[in-house]
Amino acid sequence: MTEGPAPLRQQAAIQYMMRRVDGFARGLGLDEAVTRQIVEKIAADLLDRSDEERLETARECLLMAALA
């Protein structure tokens, strides 16, 4: 079974976001599993937003997770 264009785009968006927030998340003391869970949720929930809007939201959620 092959994936269509939408799942491939979403996976690419997740990988892009993971690279962009990795240092930030590590600096907050969050591990990769928590970071990926947050990034995947944002990628799925904010499909119609720009990359920068999703990254801003991801950083906010990562910060809240670190403070929890």
Side-chain angles (χ1 to χ4, degrees):
M1 177 154 73
T2 59
E3 294 183 2
L8 291 176
R9 272 195 299 264
Q10 186 166 358
Q11 286 294 62
I14 290 167
Q15 291 297 353
Y16 172 76
M17 289 173 60
M18 287 294 293
R19 285 192 304 270
R20 294 287 306 271
V21 302
D22 181 59
F24 181 76
R26 287 177 191 259
L28 293 172
L30 298 174
D31 65 23
E32 184 177 350
V34 170
T35 302
R36 180 168 293 279
Q37 183 180 21
I38 291 169
V39 164
E40 287 176 349
K41 174 131 178 64
I42 290 166
D45 290 351
L46 303 179
L47 291 172
D48 60 337
R49 301 295 175 95
S50 72
D51 288 344
E52 289 306 314
E53 289 173 313
R54 286 188 295 227
L55 285 169
E56 182 179 331
T57 302
R59 288 184 191 106
E60 291 171 0
C61 291
L62 290 167
L63 182 56
M64 290 189 320
L67 295 174

